[in-house]
Amino acid sequence: MRELIAFPCDGDTLAGTLDDAGGATGLLIVSGGNEIRCGAHRGMALLAAELAARGAPVFRFDRRGIGDSEGANHGWADSGPDIAAATQAFRAVAPGVRRIVGFGNCDAATALALFHAEAGIDALALANPWVGDEDDDLPPAEAIRAHYADRVRDPRQWLRVLRGGVDIGKAIKGLRKASDTSSQTVNPIVERMATALAGTPHRFLLAGGDNTAIRFASAWSGGGDIRRLDSNSHSFAKPGDGAWLRDQLVDALR
């Protein structure tokens, strides 16, 4: 059964949706970017319905300034109170829930990693965590290396070079970035995530060809449960991606 919920957060009223079920472990979905709680093409709403049909209560919400919620939108870095308020509301409207798993993609995954403890979330499933943007208009160095490794093995790409179908200037720029290790430094967001995640059960769900996931994987040295899907879709939108994501979340809810 799906129910609309209104709940307070620092003087504003937020909107949430509960897909109720009988399980004692529930999933809190945190939306990334400025995405509303139903997700792109209603993806999160459909995911919630599927998981609830399997017995897991699911709560989704719009943070302040997004969708149906009041207040000003200050971005993911200021979303700790929103996540805490949603967790409290989830427990209030689903009193049978004893354990909450938080799930988010991109900067929502980063927010959950940093703010879950204050919210009282018990475990995490973090998809393609955002750990900062590149300083230029190129993909991460690791993605460039993988890209050119594939191209070198493909004879069709050599034909493209010979026929002038490749931007040589851009290729040279990319190769320079891929070979330069002098600018590699410790990522401050990753450092904060590693500290915040200590002691909390968590797993990372990475679309292996997604640039955000590639940048995270190259910066993360904390090990742990990392699960990869052979897809370059950041939002797990390609055929088969959604089923893989659903199965990973079912496993996390066990």
Side-chain angles (χ1 to χ4, degrees), residues 65-151:
I66 298 294
D68 296 320
S69 292
E70 297 177 348
N73 177 10
H74 295 294
W76 72 270
D78 194 39
S79 65
D82 307 64
I83 294 172
T87 305
Q88 183 178 356
F90 190 5
R91 293 190 186 277
V93 297
V97 170
R98 297 288 178 265
R99 174 175 173 264
I100 291 179
V101 177
F103 164 66
N105 187 29
C106 196
D107 59 25
T110 309
L112 275 167
L114 297 179
F115 307 133
H116 72 279
E118 293 86 347
I121 295 171
D122 303 289
L124 299 169
L126 307 174
N128 305 322
W130 181 86
V131 293
D133 290 322
E134 296 295 305
D135 295 330
D136 50 36
D137 60 350
L138 296 173
E142 295 75 15
I144 296 172
R145 284 192 284 270
H147 172 84
Y148 283 110
D150 289 341
R151 295 302 183 271

Side-chain angles (χ1 to χ4, degrees), residues 2 25 35 111 115 135 196 200:
R2 180 165 287 175
T25 299
E35 192 173 86
F115 307 133
D135 295 330
T200 299

Side-chain angles (χ1 to χ4, degrees), residues 131-208:
V131 293
D133 290 322
E134 296 295 305
D135 295 330
D136 50 36
D137 60 350
L138 296 173
E142 295 75 15
I144 296 172
R145 284 192 284 270
H147 172 84
Y148 283 110
D150 289 341
R151 295 302 183 271
V152 166
R153 293 190 290 267
D154 186 351
R156 292 172 299 179
Q157 299 304 320
W158 290 105
L159 289 175
R160 285 187 63 212
V161 172
L162 293 173
R163 293 169 179 169
V166 174
D167 185 335
I168 298 298
K170 185 175 182 180
I172 292 172
K173 187 178 178 182
L175 288 170
R176 284 175 176 166
K177 178 175 181 178
S179 61
D180 181 17
T181 59
S182 62
S183 62
Q184 293 180 4
T185 58
V186 175
N187 186 300
I189 298 176
V190 169
E191 281 193 318
R192 290 178 61 198
M193 287 178 64
T195 299
L197 289 170
T200 299
H202 61 277
R203 66 183 60 186
F204 297 108
L205 309 177
L206 304 182

Side-chain angles (χ1 to χ4, degrees), residues 51 54 203 245-254:
L51 294 174
R54 292 169 177 251
R203 66 183 60 186
L245 178 61
R246 179 201 63 216
D247 291 345
Q248 295 298 321
L249 293 175
V250 168
D251 188 56
L253 289 162
R254 290 194 179 107

